[in-house]
Every structure is written in C-alpha cells, then in structure tokens.
Amino acid sequence: MATRVGHWRLGDFGEWNGRGELVLLGRAGQGANIGGKKVHPLEVERVLRALPGVTDAAVWLWQSHGRDLLAAVVETAHLRAEIERALTARLPAWKLPKTYIIARELPRTARGKLDLAALKQHDGSQTIADF
C-alpha cells in the first residue's frame, strides 16, 4: 500500500481507493503459469547468467497452443546439453526453458544490449554456432 505523495513504477496492477491508498489488484509483467505453478523469466535468466562460462542470457515467455512456455538465449561456448544439465541441477523441471538459442556471440543493439527483437524471430529449434 502506498499514498499519492511520491511516484512509483510498479510491476503490478493497482488502483487508488477513496482514502488515497494504492490497492494492488494483481501482477503485470511476464510471469508464466506453467503446469499451474508460477515462474518469472527473470528468475531463470538470473540462474543462467550465474552459470560458469555463460557471458549473457535472456529468458522470455511465449505461448504455444494456449500454454505458457519459456524460451532462452545463452551466450556461451558450452553446448546446449551442458547448459540444460547445469540448469536441471539448479531448477525444478517445470522452470526449465523449452527452447534455446545457444551461441558464442549473440546480436547486440547499438547500445551493446542483447537484440531481443532479432532473437525472438528465431524459433530456437536448433543451436546456432555463430549468430
């Protein structure tokens, strides 16, 4: 709960009540519902980035046949099987991405950030040696 004194940018939906209090109504953002369990892509992304040999990673939500799934891109010299094995040791199976793009170098924007728009155009069905 908050008052209107300051300005906040929250990752939630809310409304002001008659007493000037902010009432939270639910989550905004990319939380996924996988098998009836909640997971946020940033949680998986954080684990990926902490793996030895991973220089960058991104995870996002996508839907297939009305189901929430996770997709991951990983900048590393490791093979997909090695990344999946490492993630399996750190996360429950339902939090694991269903599709991956693995590359030594991933495309970057002019500001040096991962070019997610370019990456999301690929279906991730195969490992990409050099993007």
Side-chain angles (χ1 to χ4, degrees):
M1 199 177 304
T3 63
R4 293 183 193 221
V5 175
H7 297 279
W8 296 274
R9 188 173 191 131
L10 303 174
D12 299 311
F13 291 112
E15 67 184 13
W16 297 103
N17 67 18
R19 296 182 303 222
E21 300 167 326
L22 178 62
V23 178
L24 298 178
L25 302 173
R27 289 271 184 224
Q30 295 188 2
N33 182 357
I34 298 177
K37 298 175 183 173
K38 302 289 186 205
V39 63
H40 197 286
L42 290 177
E43 176 186 359
V44 179
E45 189 174 301
R46 180 184 51 80
V47 174
L48 273 170
R49 285 184 172 161
L51 294 177
V54 171
T55 53
D56 208 348
V59 177
W60 63 85
L61 172 67
W62 61 283
Q63 291 192 330
S64 177
H65 305 303
R67 294 178 43 218
D68 287 347
L69 301 169
L70 296 176
V73 295
V74 185
E75 189 172 78
T76 184
H78 293 297
L79 300 174
R80 175 182 172 155
E82 294 170 308
I83 296 299
E84 287 180 311
R85 200 168 25 255
L87 274 184
T88 300
R90 291 166 175 81
L91 293 171
W94 58 272
K95 289 186 178 184
L96 299 176
K98 297 300 179 212
T99 187
Y100 292 80
I101 295 173
I102 308 289
R104 290 181 186 270
E105 289 186 40
L106 294 170
R108 305 264 173 201
T109 65
R111 292 183 155 196
K113 296 184 180 202
L114 287 180
D115 188 346
L116 292 178
L119 291 165
K120 288 180 182 182
Q121 291 178 9
H122 296 275
D123 66 8
S125 61
Q126 59 189 351
T127 301
I128 300 171
D130 287 304
F131 203 87

